[in-house]
Amino acid sequence: MEKSRPEPLSAKDQGSFAFDTVNRRMPVILTRVIDASSKLASKLTEQNDHEKADDVKNVVHKLSGLKYGMETNKPLELLNDDQADTELWDKCLQETKSLVPGKDLTFYTGAWLLCECYMYRRIFQAFISSSLFKDYDPFSEQKRESFFSTMDSVKSLSENVMKCTSTLTESSSDDAVRLEFETLLQFSLWANKCDLSVSGGEIKDGQHTGMAEQLQHLKAWILVDNTSEVWELLRTIDRNADHEIHIDFVLDNAGFEVFADLCLAEFLLSLNLAKTVYFHVKNIPWFVSDASEKDIDWLIEQMKKSENNYVSQLGVRWQARFKDGSFQFKKHIYWTLAHDNSEMKATAPDLYAELSKAKLVFFKGDLNYRKLVGDRKWPHTTPFAEALWGFCPAPLCSLRTLKADVVVGLCPGQDSKAESKDKQWMVNGTNAVIQYQHNL
């Protein structure tokens, strides 16, 4: 008998985190976008720019319709734009069945992963269908404010990276290089605590304050730590090889998280552990704080303007890396579909083939983890390899703080121990995993 996966997480289950997301957090995020757009329309009207004001009002009308459909549990509508992914989205919506027998596919009867992705795709549709705001990112201001709120951590990590990349060389001791790798990997991991889609787009003060001092303490909250396996892969790389060695980051959040990811990438290049680093970004505004090419370009420009020499020098260095190709952006529509990664080989064989050429792929954050394991009701002791459900194009490492009620790869009793410490252990970003899979 062929094995099957557990049922997807869904808002049909009252009391679940998925239900809370659809019932409370998603409407809050949508309302923030509507309110900000309404204020923009009013401002444009005051400036007598009626053409732009009317255009924004039309966007607000579409977003208000989406919110009404969400709150009244209306069936999910097909998309009505002509983007590269429209056909794939509509095929998914037509073929996906409600998880409640006899009911239409709605926000409260469909898989949570589908419904949450659908909301962001509909927000994008409202703007792309306008005349004058096609490239508008309704989350841009929040992402930028979030970065400015973490400048102390940016300064301390910049100093660390600039110093270590000037003192460590290929001939440095294995222990010294490993220690710095572990530090930067932890920064990349815990920087994921800042996720504006979880906080409803609200910027929380002090999320990364004094992170360097916290790292040792935070290790106790890593439920699965495969750092040694990741390091073992990296230390066996032939650094003198002529062939192209690239390491990929499937990114999550803009701001401090992507800054920390770039710091880790800088270390890997400086130690010749890779020739090139590919950054897979989102090509549309996504889950409030997800990183786009524009977000990273903006971040580097802010760094270059900094009065802190370490920050400004690092910004100049990264701009040069993107220019010479040692850092490269990669975009694909697959990252903003509702498909989980087990479907990639069939749906986006080009992307799967590209990832398969990587020496290592880092998957950052919660949404990428949910897509890795199918966002399903796996028993927590399910092996990570099993939950990947055939997806492993290259050695991969998930760096994730837990902000959704799905996790695999735990030891028996580990979940109940975590719950005894904190009832919200799976959803508040306190616990984390560094999970590695070499192959299947």
Side-chain angles (χ1 to χ4, degrees), residues 176-438:
V177 176
R178 174 176 178 157
L179 181 64
E180 189 58 37
F181 166 71
E182 289 185 357
T183 299
L184 292 172
L185 190 74
Q186 294 242 340
F187 265 104
S188 180
L189 169 69
W190 291 111
N192 178 245
K193 283 172 76 75
C194 185
D195 187 331
L196 296 178
S197 73
V198 171
S199 60
E202 184 181 351
I203 296 154
K204 306 285 190 183
D205 289 335
Q207 280 181 302
H208 297 109
T209 304
M211 186 179 279
E213 291 78 15
Q214 293 180 44
L215 284 186
Q216 202 60 37
H217 162 73
L218 288 170
K219 277 189 176 181
W221 299 93
I222 302 176
L223 300 174
V224 181
D225 188 354
N226 295 153
T227 300
S228 57
E229 288 96 318
V230 180
W231 174 244
E232 191 59 34
L233 171 76
L234 292 174
R235 68 181 292 274
T236 58
I237 288 174
D238 181 1
R239 303 190 203 181
N240 299 312
D242 292 330
H243 61 277
E244 181 67 24
I245 297 172
H246 69 85
I247 289 174
D248 291 29
F249 284 75
V250 182
L251 297 176
D252 189 23
N253 296 314
F256 184 69
E257 180 174 356
V258 80
F259 169 79
D261 298 338
L262 287 160
C263 287
L264 176 56
E266 176 63 37
F267 168 81
L268 295 171
L269 286 185
S270 297
L271 272 293
N272 205 22
L273 293 166
K275 307 288 186 187
T276 313
V277 178
Y278 293 160
F279 297 99
H280 297 265
V281 293
K282 305 300 190 301
N283 54 6
I284 67 174
W286 198 246
F287 278 64
V288 185
S289 49
D290 278 30
S292 67
E293 179 177 349
K294 191 185 293 185
D295 293 327
I296 296 172
D297 287 342
W298 176 87
L299 179 145
I300 290 173
E301 284 302 317
Q302 300 310 305
M303 291 175 66
K304 285 167 56 189
K305 295 176 194 172
S306 174
E307 295 177 358
N308 180 287
N309 285 335
Y310 294 114
V311 176
S312 60
Q313 288 172 30
L314 200 53
V316 169
R317 185 186 293 187
W318 288 349
Q319 187 175 61
R321 288 209 179 279
F322 278 109
K323 194 171 182 179
D324 68 24
S326 51
F327 280 176
Q328 293 183 33
F329 290 116
K330 294 289 180 179
K331 296 179 185 177
H332 200 285
I333 61 171
Y334 193 84
W335 303 122
T336 49
L337 296 176
H339 297 57
D340 70 51
N341 289 353
S342 71
E343 302 169 88
M344 184 187 293
K345 196 170 188 178
T347 307
D350 56 330
L351 177 59
Y352 190 93
E354 183 176 353
L355 292 176
S356 69
K357 296 171 186 172
K359 188 71 178 180
L360 173 65
V361 184
F362 288 106
F363 283 87
K364 290 301 310 293
D366 210 59
L367 179 61
N368 279 322
Y369 189 89
R370 290 168 60 192
K371 289 193 169 190
L372 280 172
V373 302
D375 208 38
R376 290 171 181 266
K377 299 176 182 178
W378 293 107
H380 300 153
T381 54
T382 304
F384 186 48
E386 181 182 339
L388 290 172
W389 210 246
F391 178 79
C392 194
L396 62 87
C397 175
S398 172
L399 300 174
R400 176 234 184 175
T401 58
L402 275 63
K403 289 171 287 196
D405 47 1
V406 57
V407 67
V408 297
L410 302 190
C411 298
Q414 205 174 359
D415 49 1
S416 54
K417 184 178 178 182
E419 187 168 4
S420 69
K421 290 183 188 175
D422 181 358
K423 294 288 184 189
Q424 300 296 310
W425 70 281
M426 293 183 73
V427 298
N428 61 11
T430 300
N431 292 277
V433 293
I434 301 174
Q435 288 179 298
Y436 174 74
Q437 190 63 39
H438 189 78

Side-chain angles (χ1 to χ4, degrees), residues 130-166:
S130 69
S131 301
L132 304 169
F133 291 87
K134 293 182 184 295
D135 297 324
Y136 186 74
D137 181 351
F139 309 119
S140 177
E141 188 176 333
Q142 291 156 275
K143 287 185 273 191
R144 293 177 180 188
E145 285 179 23
S146 174
F147 177 67
F148 287 132
S149 72
T150 62
M151 285 311 297
D152 287 346
S153 293
V154 168
K155 289 172 186 176
S156 62
L157 189 51
S158 294
E159 180 177 355
N160 174 279
V161 170
M162 292 299 288
K163 286 182 176 178
C164 87
T165 55
S166 64

Side-chain angles (χ1 to χ4, degrees), residues 53-92:
D54 289 343
D55 207 26
V56 177
K57 286 175 186 175
N58 192 37
V59 170
V60 170
H61 175 73
K62 290 175 180 176
L63 294 175
S64 298
L66 172 61
K67 186 184 176 192
Y68 175 77
M70 184 189 302
E71 293 176 337
T72 56
N73 206 25
K74 293 287 188 291
L76 303 187
E77 299 174 6
L78 298 181
L79 302 183
N80 59 17
D81 54 42
D82 59 355
Q83 297 300 296
D85 63 347
T86 305
E87 189 176 332
L88 281 168
W89 261 105
D90 284 349
K91 184 172 185 285
C92 174

